[in-house]
Amino acid sequence: MKAWDQGDAILREARERRAAEREETAAELAARGIELDPLPAGHQRHGDEVHAHDHEHPHGRAEPGDHPVIGIVGAGPVGTALGLAFSRAGWPVAAVVSRDPGRREAFRRQVPSARAFAEPNAVVDDVEIVFLTVPDDAIATVAGSLRLYAGQAVVHTSGLLGPEVLAPAMAAGTQAATFHPLVAFADPLRAVDALRGATIAIEGDDGLVAHLGELAEAIGAIPVRLPPGSKGAYHAAAVLAAGGVVALLDAIAELAATIGLDEAATLAIFLPLLEQTAGNARALGVAGALTGPMVRGDVGTVTAHLDAIARSAPAVEPVYRALLGRSITIAQDRRALAPDVAERLRTALARSG
């Protein structure tokens, strides 16, 4: 039995209340020229076809044993990639929300089963789980615009924020969680492929977390449950693994430019070394993958590096000092450096240019 399945009587009562509220909202939006759903009452769009029904919405409850019906608020790269991945995995995506008509239509081209809306709360009648794939700063505001039924759930995809930010959407019998894929979403289609084998960090209410774990596995990912309050450290590590590596590559490119290498040549020369180092870390552990002057105790090499950087690319110097200082600590911890050699390296590293 689904964790959000609270019984037909409660849902009917809540839906009747929401129907009246939605009529008021629709009238207000219509006065502002915003059309949430151009179909007449009693009809539903499936792909590009329109079907009539002898009852009005919601249609958002899955049959017993089926996967829950999903709605996605936010049709940017994250929302579009997840909507496509969920749909391909057989989890129904019934609705999408975006204020941008172009993004709504682009989403529907990828996921024809989804009805498109401009206002977040419009999806509530159609779905059981609402995914908020909006920017972090907008999550609390969007959550506050939702009025969930008992038995429904809301999930956001922020890597930093916990489920508590969803509190404005919560009501009796609702559940909340987070679902953060450790994937770069620069391009939705590439991201869908990258989800296979990727980690998805999940935090929140027990019953909902269990279903999100099933969903993660369905799209080929690996679910990992985070302890409460750990999202800040987790996300900082993720940023270093993605944007931090890009910043490091940028520093390498700046140094390489001083010897006449363009970006393409820099990547061709140095990316294989970075990839080999990552492979060594996977096979030998982080400390075991460390090589270079810090392991050998080459004080003269570090001094020469600092002189060259100061002359040719001074903006790279803080990056070099920070990373080499961390490397000395790693080398010491694995007993690759004698204490006096480590001290000489730190002295060389700390000297002013």
Coordinates of all heavy atoms in Angstrom, one line a residue, residues 146-221:
L146 N 1.6 25.6 -3.1 CA 0.9 24.3 -3.2 C 0.0 24.1 -2.1 O 0.3 24.4 -0.9 CB 1.9 23.2 -3.3 CG 3.0 23.2 -4.4 CD1 3.9 22.1 -4.2 CD2 2.3 23.1 -5.8
R147 N -1.2 23.4 -2.3 CA -2.1 23.0 -1.3 C -2.4 21.5 -1.5 O -3.2 21.2 -2.3 CB -3.4 23.8 -1.3 CG -3.1 25.3 -0.9 CD -4.4 26.1 -0.9 NE -4.9 26.3 -2.3 CZ -4.5 27.3 -3.1 NH1 -3.5 28.1 -2.7 NH2 -5.0 27.4 -4.3
L148 N -1.6 20.7 -0.9 CA -1.6 19.2 -1.1 C -2.8 18.6 -0.5 O -3.4 19.1 0.5 CB -0.4 18.6 -0.6 CG 1.0 19.0 -1.2 CD1 2.1 18.2 -0.5 CD2 1.0 18.8 -2.7
Y149 N -3.3 17.5 -1.1 CA -4.3 16.7 -0.4 C -3.6 15.8 0.6 O -2.4 15.4 0.5 CB -4.9 15.7 -1.5 CG -5.7 16.4 -2.6 CD1 -5.3 16.2 -3.9 CD2 -6.8 17.1 -2.3 CE1 -6.0 16.8 -4.9 CE2 -7.6 17.7 -3.3 CZ -7.1 17.6 -4.6 OH -7.8 18.2 -5.6
A150 N -4.4 15.3 1.6 CA -3.9 14.2 2.4 C -3.5 13.0 1.6 O -4.3 12.7 0.6 CB -5.0 13.8 3.4
G151 N -2.4 12.5 1.8 CA -1.9 11.3 1.0 C -1.0 11.6 -0.1 O -0.5 10.7 -0.7
Q152 N -0.8 12.9 -0.4 CA 0.1 13.3 -1.4 C 1.5 13.6 -0.9 O 1.7 13.7 0.3 CB -0.4 14.5 -2.2 CG -1.6 14.2 -3.1 CD -2.1 15.4 -3.9 OE1 -2.2 16.5 -3.4 NE2 -2.3 15.2 -5.2
A153 N 2.5 13.7 -1.8 CA 3.9 14.0 -1.4 C 4.5 15.0 -2.2 O 4.1 15.3 -3.4 CB 4.7 12.7 -1.5
V154 N 5.5 15.7 -1.7 CA 6.2 16.8 -2.4 C 7.7 16.5 -2.2 O 8.2 16.1 -1.1 CB 5.8 18.2 -2.0 CG1 6.1 18.4 -0.5 CG2 6.5 19.2 -2.8
V155 N 8.5 16.6 -3.3 CA 9.9 16.3 -3.3 C 10.6 17.4 -4.1 O 10.1 17.9 -5.1 CB 10.1 15.0 -4.1 CG1 11.6 14.7 -4.2 CG2 9.4 13.9 -3.5
H156 N 11.8 17.9 -3.5 CA 12.6 18.8 -4.3 C 13.9 18.2 -4.7 O 14.3 17.1 -4.1 CB 12.8 20.1 -3.6 CG 13.7 20.1 -2.4 ND1 15.1 19.9 -2.5 CD2 13.5 20.3 -1.1 CE1 15.7 19.9 -1.3 NE2 14.7 20.2 -0.4
T157 N 14.6 18.8 -5.6 CA 15.9 18.2 -6.2 C 17.1 19.0 -5.8 O 18.1 18.8 -6.5 CB 15.7 18.0 -7.7 OG1 15.4 19.3 -8.3 CG2 14.7 17.0 -8.1
S158 N 17.0 19.9 -4.8 CA 18.2 20.6 -4.4 C 19.2 19.7 -3.8 O 18.9 18.8 -3.0 CB 17.8 21.7 -3.4 OG 18.9 22.3 -2.8
G159 N 20.5 20.0 -4.1 CA 21.5 19.2 -3.4 C 21.9 19.8 -2.0 O 22.5 19.1 -1.2
L160 N 21.5 21.1 -1.8 CA 21.9 21.7 -0.5 C 20.8 21.7 0.5 O 21.1 21.4 1.7 CB 22.2 23.2 -0.8 CG 22.5 24.1 0.4 CD1 23.7 23.6 1.1 CD2 22.7 25.5 -0.1
L161 N 19.5 22.0 0.1 CA 18.5 22.1 1.1 C 17.9 20.8 1.5 O 17.8 19.8 0.8 CB 17.4 23.0 0.5 CG 17.8 24.4 0.0 CD1 16.6 25.1 -0.7 CD2 18.3 25.2 1.2
G162 N 17.4 20.7 2.8 CA 16.8 19.6 3.3 C 15.3 19.6 3.1 O 14.7 20.6 2.5
P163 N 14.5 18.6 3.5 CA 13.1 18.5 3.2 C 12.3 19.6 4.0 O 11.2 19.8 3.7 CB 12.7 17.1 3.7 CG 13.8 16.6 4.6 CD 15.1 17.3 4.1
E164 N 12.9 20.1 5.1 CA 12.2 21.1 5.9 C 11.8 22.3 5.1 O 10.9 23.0 5.5 CB 13.1 21.5 7.1 CG 14.4 22.2 6.8 CD 15.5 21.2 6.5 OE1 15.3 20.0 6.5 OE2 16.6 21.7 6.2
V165 N 12.5 22.6 4.0 CA 12.1 23.8 3.2 C 10.8 23.6 2.6 O 10.2 24.6 2.1 CB 13.2 24.1 2.2 CG1 13.2 23.0 1.0 CG2 13.1 25.5 1.6
L166 N 10.3 22.4 2.5 CA 9.0 22.1 1.9 C 7.8 22.3 2.9 O 6.7 22.1 2.5 CB 9.0 20.7 1.4 CG 10.0 20.4 0.3 CD1 10.1 18.9 0.0 CD2 9.7 21.2 -1.0
A167 N 8.1 22.7 4.1 CA 7.1 22.8 5.2 C 5.9 23.6 4.7 O 4.8 23.3 5.1 CB 7.7 23.4 6.4
P168 N 6.1 24.7 3.9 CA 4.9 25.5 3.6 C 3.8 24.7 2.8 O 2.7 25.1 2.7 CB 5.5 26.7 2.7 CG 6.9 26.8 3.2 CD 7.3 25.4 3.5
A169 N 4.2 23.6 2.1 CA 3.3 22.9 1.3 C 2.6 21.8 2.1 O 1.6 21.2 1.7 CB 4.0 22.2 0.1
M170 N 3.1 21.5 3.3 CA 2.6 20.3 4.1 C 1.3 20.5 4.7 O 0.9 21.6 5.2 CB 3.7 19.9 5.1 CG 5.1 19.7 4.5 SD 5.1 18.6 3.2 CE 4.8 17.1 4.0
A171 N 0.5 19.4 4.8 CA -0.7 19.4 5.5 C -0.8 18.0 6.2 O 0.0 17.2 6.0 CB -1.9 19.6 4.5
A172 N -1.9 17.8 6.9 CA -2.1 16.5 7.6 C -2.1 15.4 6.5 O -2.8 15.4 5.5 CB -3.4 16.5 8.3
G173 N -1.3 14.4 6.8 CA -1.2 13.2 5.9 C -0.4 13.4 4.7 O -0.4 12.5 3.8
T174 N 0.4 14.4 4.6 CA 1.3 14.6 3.4 C 2.7 14.2 3.8 O 3.1 14.1 5.0 CB 1.3 16.0 2.9 OG1 1.7 16.9 3.9 CG2 -0.1 16.4 2.4
Q175 N 3.6 14.0 2.8 CA 5.0 13.6 3.1 C 5.9 14.5 2.3 O 5.5 15.0 1.2 CB 5.2 12.1 2.8 CG 4.4 11.2 3.8 CD 4.9 9.8 3.7 OE1 6.0 9.5 4.0 NE2 4.0 8.9 3.2
A176 N 7.2 14.6 2.7 CA 8.2 15.4 2.0 C 9.5 14.7 2.0 O 9.8 13.9 2.9 CB 8.3 16.8 2.6
A177 N 10.3 15.0 0.9 CA 11.6 14.4 0.8 C 12.4 15.1 -0.2 O 11.9 16.0 -0.9 CB 11.5 12.9 0.4
T178 N 13.7 14.8 -0.3 CA 14.6 15.4 -1.3 C 15.1 14.2 -2.2 O 15.3 13.1 -1.8 CB 15.8 16.1 -0.7 OG1 16.7 15.2 -0.1 CG2 15.3 17.1 0.3
F179 N 15.5 14.6 -3.5 CA 15.9 13.6 -4.5 C 16.9 14.3 -5.3 O 16.6 15.0 -6.3 CB 14.7 13.2 -5.3 CG 14.9 12.1 -6.3 CD1 14.6 10.7 -5.9 CD2 15.2 12.3 -7.6 CE1 14.8 9.7 -6.9 CE2 15.4 11.3 -8.5 CZ 15.1 10.0 -8.2
H180 N 18.2 14.1 -5.0 CA 19.3 14.9 -5.7 C 20.2 14.0 -6.5 O 21.0 13.3 -6.0 CB 20.1 15.7 -4.7 CG 21.2 16.5 -5.4 ND1 22.5 16.1 -5.3 CD2 21.1 17.6 -6.2 CE1 23.2 17.0 -6.0 NE2 22.4 17.9 -6.6
P181 N 20.0 14.0 -7.8 CA 20.9 13.2 -8.7 C 22.3 13.9 -8.8 O 22.4 15.1 -9.0 CB 20.2 13.2 -10.0 CG 18.9 13.8 -9.8 CD 19.0 14.7 -8.6
L182 N 23.3 13.1 -8.6 CA 24.7 13.6 -8.6 C 25.2 13.6 -10.1 O 26.0 12.8 -10.5 CB 25.6 12.8 -7.7 CG 26.9 13.5 -7.2 CD1 26.5 14.8 -6.5 CD2 27.6 12.6 -6.3
V183 N 24.5 14.5 -10.9 CA 24.7 14.5 -12.3 C 24.8 15.9 -12.8 O 24.1 16.8 -12.2 CB 23.6 13.8 -13.0 CG1 23.5 14.1 -14.5 CG2 23.6 12.3 -12.8
A184 N 25.6 16.2 -13.8 CA 25.7 17.6 -14.4 C 24.5 17.7 -15.4 O 24.5 16.9 -16.3 CB 27.0 17.8 -15.0
F185 N 23.7 18.7 -15.2 CA 22.5 18.8 -16.1 C 22.7 19.9 -17.1 O 21.7 20.6 -17.4 CB 21.2 19.1 -15.3 CG 20.7 17.9 -14.5 CD1 21.2 17.6 -13.2 CD2 19.8 17.0 -15.1 CE1 20.7 16.5 -12.5 CE2 19.3 15.9 -14.4 CZ 19.8 15.7 -13.1
A186 N 23.9 20.0 -17.7 CA 24.1 21.0 -18.8 C 23.2 20.7 -20.0 O 22.7 21.7 -20.6 CB 25.6 21.0 -19.2
D187 N 23.0 19.5 -20.3 CA 22.1 19.1 -21.4 C 21.2 18.0 -21.0 O 21.6 16.9 -20.5 CB 23.0 18.6 -22.6 CG 22.1 18.1 -23.8 OD1 21.6 18.9 -24.5 OD2 22.0 16.9 -23.9
P188 N 19.8 18.1 -21.1 CA 18.9 17.1 -20.6 C 19.1 15.7 -21.2 O 19.1 14.7 -20.4 CB 17.5 17.7 -21.0 CG 17.7 19.2 -21.1 CD 19.1 19.3 -21.6
L189 N 19.3 15.6 -22.5 CA 19.4 14.3 -23.1 C 20.7 13.6 -22.6 O 20.7 12.4 -22.3 CB 19.4 14.4 -24.6 CG 18.1 14.8 -25.2 CD1 18.2 14.9 -26.7 CD2 16.9 13.9 -24.7
R190 N 21.8 14.3 -22.5 CA 23.0 13.7 -22.0 C 22.9 13.3 -20.5 O 23.4 12.3 -20.0 CB 24.2 14.7 -22.2 CG 24.6 14.8 -23.6 CD 25.7 15.9 -23.7 NE 26.9 15.6 -23.0 CZ 27.9 14.9 -23.6 NH1 27.8 14.5 -24.9 NH2 29.0 14.6 -22.9
A191 N 22.1 14.2 -19.8 CA 21.9 13.9 -18.4 C 21.1 12.6 -18.1 O 21.3 11.9 -17.2 CB 21.2 15.1 -17.7
V192 N 20.1 12.4 -19.0 CA 19.3 11.1 -18.9 C 20.3 9.9 -19.0 O 20.2 9.0 -18.2 CB 18.2 11.1 -20.0 CG1 17.6 9.7 -20.0 CG2 17.2 12.1 -19.7
D193 N 21.2 9.9 -19.9 CA 22.1 8.8 -20.0 C 23.0 8.8 -18.8 O 23.4 7.7 -18.3 CB 23.0 9.0 -21.3 CG 22.2 8.8 -22.6 OD1 21.1 8.2 -22.5 OD2 22.5 9.4 -23.6
A194 N 23.4 9.9 -18.3 CA 24.4 10.0 -17.2 C 23.7 9.5 -15.9 O 24.4 9.1 -14.9 CB 24.9 11.4 -17.0
L195 N 22.4 9.5 -15.8 CA 21.7 9.0 -14.6 C 22.0 7.5 -14.3 O 22.0 7.1 -13.2 CB 20.2 9.2 -14.7 CG 19.7 10.7 -14.6 CD1 18.3 10.8 -15.0 CD2 19.9 11.1 -13.1
R196 N 22.2 6.7 -15.4 CA 22.5 5.3 -15.2 C 23.8 5.2 -14.5 O 24.9 5.6 -15.0 CB 22.5 4.6 -16.5 CG 21.2 4.7 -17.3 CD 21.1 3.6 -18.4 NE 21.0 2.3 -17.7 CZ 19.9 1.8 -17.3 NH1 18.7 2.4 -17.3 NH2 19.9 0.5 -16.8
G197 N 23.8 4.6 -13.3 CA 25.0 4.4 -12.5 C 25.3 5.6 -11.6 O 26.3 5.5 -10.8
A198 N 24.6 6.7 -11.7 CA 24.9 7.8 -10.9 C 24.3 7.7 -9.5 O 23.3 6.9 -9.3 CB 24.3 9.1 -11.5
T199 N 24.8 8.4 -8.5 CA 24.2 8.4 -7.2 C 23.1 9.4 -7.1 O 23.1 10.5 -7.6 CB 25.3 8.8 -6.2 OG1 26.3 7.8 -6.2 CG2 24.7 9.0 -4.8
I200 N 22.0 9.0 -6.4 CA 20.9 9.9 -6.1 C 20.8 10.0 -4.5 O 20.5 9.0 -3.9 CB 19.6 9.5 -6.7 CG1 19.7 9.6 -8.2 CG2 18.4 10.4 -6.2 CD1 18.5 9.3 -9.0
A201 N 21.0 11.2 -4.0 CA 20.9 11.3 -2.5 C 19.5 11.6 -2.1 O 18.8 12.5 -2.7 CB 21.8 12.5 -2.1
I202 N 19.0 10.9 -1.2 CA 17.6 11.0 -0.8 C 17.5 11.2 0.7 O 18.2 10.6 1.5 CB 16.8 9.7 -1.1 CG1 16.9 9.4 -2.6 CG2 15.4 9.7 -0.7 CD1 16.4 8.1 -3.1
E203 N 16.6 12.1 1.1 CA 16.4 12.4 2.6 C 14.9 12.8 2.8 O 14.4 13.4 1.9 CB 17.3 13.6 3.0 CG 17.1 14.0 4.4 CD 17.9 15.3 4.8 OE1 18.5 15.9 3.9 OE2 17.8 15.7 6.0
G204 N 14.3 12.3 3.9 CA 13.0 12.7 4.1 C 12.2 11.6 4.9 O 12.7 10.8 5.6
D205 N 10.8 11.7 4.7 CA 9.9 10.8 5.5 C 10.1 9.3 5.0 O 10.3 9.0 3.8 CB 8.5 11.2 5.2 CG 8.2 12.5 5.9 OD1 8.7 12.8 6.9 OD2 7.4 13.3 5.2
D206 N 10.1 8.4 6.0 CA 10.5 7.0 5.7 C 9.8 6.4 4.5 O 10.4 5.8 3.6 CB 10.3 6.2 7.0 CG 11.3 6.5 8.1 OD1 12.3 7.1 7.7 OD2 11.0 6.2 9.2
G207 N 8.4 6.4 4.6 CA 7.7 5.7 3.5 C 7.9 6.3 2.1 O 8.1 5.5 1.2
L208 N 8.0 7.6 2.0 CA 8.3 8.2 0.8 C 9.7 7.9 0.3 O 10.0 7.7 -0.9 CB 8.1 9.8 0.9 CG 8.3 10.6 -0.3 CD1 7.5 10.1 -1.5 CD2 8.1 12.1 0.0
V209 N 10.7 8.0 1.2 CA 12.1 7.7 0.9 C 12.2 6.3 0.2 O 12.9 6.1 -0.7 CB 13.0 7.8 2.1 CG1 14.3 7.1 1.9 CG2 13.2 9.2 2.4
A210 N 11.4 5.3 0.8 CA 11.5 4.0 0.2 C 11.0 3.9 -1.2 O 11.6 3.3 -2.1 CB 10.6 3.0 1.1
H211 N 9.9 4.7 -1.5 CA 9.4 4.7 -2.9 C 10.4 5.5 -3.8 O 10.6 5.1 -5.0 CB 8.1 5.4 -2.9 CG 7.0 4.5 -2.4 ND1 6.4 3.5 -3.1 CD2 6.3 4.5 -1.2 CE1 5.5 2.9 -2.4 NE2 5.4 3.5 -1.2
L212 N 11.0 6.5 -3.3 CA 12.0 7.3 -4.1 C 13.2 6.4 -4.4 O 13.9 6.5 -5.5 CB 12.4 8.6 -3.4 CG 11.3 9.6 -3.3 CD1 11.8 10.8 -2.5 CD2 10.8 10.0 -4.6
G213 N 13.6 5.5 -3.5 CA 14.7 4.6 -3.7 C 14.3 3.7 -4.9 O 15.2 3.4 -5.7
E214 N 13.1 3.2 -4.9 CA 12.6 2.4 -6.0 C 12.7 3.1 -7.4 O 13.1 2.6 -8.4 CB 11.2 1.9 -5.8 CG 11.0 1.0 -4.6 CD 9.6 0.6 -4.4 OE1 8.7 1.0 -5.2 OE2 9.3 0.0 -3.3
L215 N 12.3 4.4 -7.3 CA 12.3 5.3 -8.5 C 13.7 5.4 -9.0 O 14.0 5.4 -10.2 CB 11.6 6.6 -8.2 CG 11.7 7.7 -9.3 CD1 11.0 7.1 -10.6 CD2 10.9 8.9 -8.8
A216 N 14.7 5.7 -8.1 CA 16.1 5.9 -8.4 C 16.6 4.6 -9.1 O 17.3 4.7 -10.2 CB 16.9 6.2 -7.2
E217 N 16.3 3.5 -8.6 CA 16.7 2.2 -9.2 C 16.1 2.0 -10.5 O 16.7 1.5 -11.5 CB 16.4 1.1 -8.3 CG 17.3 1.1 -7.0 CD 16.9 0.0 -6.0 OE1 15.8 -0.6 -6.2 OE2 17.7 -0.2 -5.1
A218 N 14.8 2.4 -10.7 CA 14.1 2.3 -12.0 C 14.8 3.0 -13.1 O 14.7 2.6 -14.3 CB 12.7 2.7 -11.8
I219 N 15.4 4.2 -12.8 CA 16.1 4.9 -13.9 C 17.5 4.6 -14.0 O 18.3 5.2 -14.7 CB 15.9 6.5 -13.6 CG1 16.5 6.9 -12.3 CG2 14.4 6.8 -13.7 CD1 16.5 8.4 -12.1
G220 N 17.9 3.5 -13.3 CA 19.3 3.0 -13.4 C 20.3 3.6 -12.4 O 21.5 3.4 -12.6
A221 N 19.8 4.4 -11.5 CA 20.7 5.1 -10.6 C 20.9 4.3 -9.3 O 20.2 3.3 -9.1 CB 20.2 6.5 -10.3

